[in-house]
Amino acid sequence: MLRNLTLLLVAFMACTQKPKQEVIDTSDLKEREYIRAIEGVDEVLDPELVKRGKVLISYADCASCHKPEERAKGPAFKDIARRYPISQVYINLLARKVISGGTGSWGSPVMAAHPQLTMEEATAMVSYILSLD
């Protein structure tokens, strides 16, 4: 009788205990989803264009929304560089986005338009950003 009662108590405890929940670190998964890297082969950037882009960014209002290595209102420059391959196609696409503004590529933040920039200036700026990876 005592043996049956012990077995019943063990079975009851096993059924009423909450299973241990495994803690899964999803920070890397969230980071990879945030960046969503685009496959592609990197092209060689003109070092003079990259230098010019760095100077142009330092005089522009980019720092009010972007930081080199961490997210602010907008994505970090290094995150942008990790997403896009260094390719003239993406440089032109991103330069147009810098000029016209946009939303949705990095969540809900809205990038203000910069119509005062020429395509040549925006291309230099984007070239610098993509060189940071």
Side-chain angles (χ1 to χ4, degrees), residues 40-46 84-91 130-131:
V41 178
D42 287 341
E43 297 172 6
V44 178
L45 287 171
D46 176 8
Y84 296 98
I86 300 171
S87 163
Q88 197 59 50
V89 171
Y90 289 108
I91 292 171
L130 294 184
S131 75

Side-chain angles (χ1 to χ4, degrees), residues 25-36 71:
D25 182 12
T26 60
S27 61
D28 186 48
L29 178 64
K30 289 178 185 175
E31 189 67 18
R32 281 184 283 149
E33 177 59 27
Y34 175 72
I35 294 175
R36 290 189 319 268
R71 293 181 217 174

Side-chain angles (χ1 to χ4, degrees), residues 94-107:
L94 294 171
R96 281 190 219 101
K97 191 166 227 171
V98 167
I99 294 169
S100 63
T103 186
S105 296
W106 296 91

Side-chain angles (χ1 to χ4, degrees), residues 36-118:
R36 290 189 319 268
I38 297 170
E39 295 293 322
V41 178
D42 287 341
E43 297 172 6
V44 178
L45 287 171
D46 176 8
E48 291 302 315
L49 187 64
V50 171
K51 286 180 193 174
R52 183 165 186 251
K54 182 177 182 178
V55 170
L56 289 168
I57 283 177
S58 68
Y59 285 102
D61 66 345
C62 303
S64 62
C65 296
H66 300 278
K67 293 182 179 181
E69 297 189 23
E70 58 189 53
R71 293 181 217 174
K73 289 180 188 175
F77 287 148
K78 285 202 174 191
D79 289 344
I80 296 168
R82 286 173 31 204
R83 176 179 281 184
Y84 296 98
I86 300 171
S87 163
Q88 197 59 50
V89 171
Y90 289 108
I91 292 171
N92 291 339
L93 172 87
L94 294 171
R96 281 190 219 101
K97 191 166 227 171
V98 167
I99 294 169
S100 63
T103 186
S105 296
W106 296 91
S108 59
V110 176
M111 181 160 151
H114 299 85
Q116 74 281 8
L117 294 174
T118 66

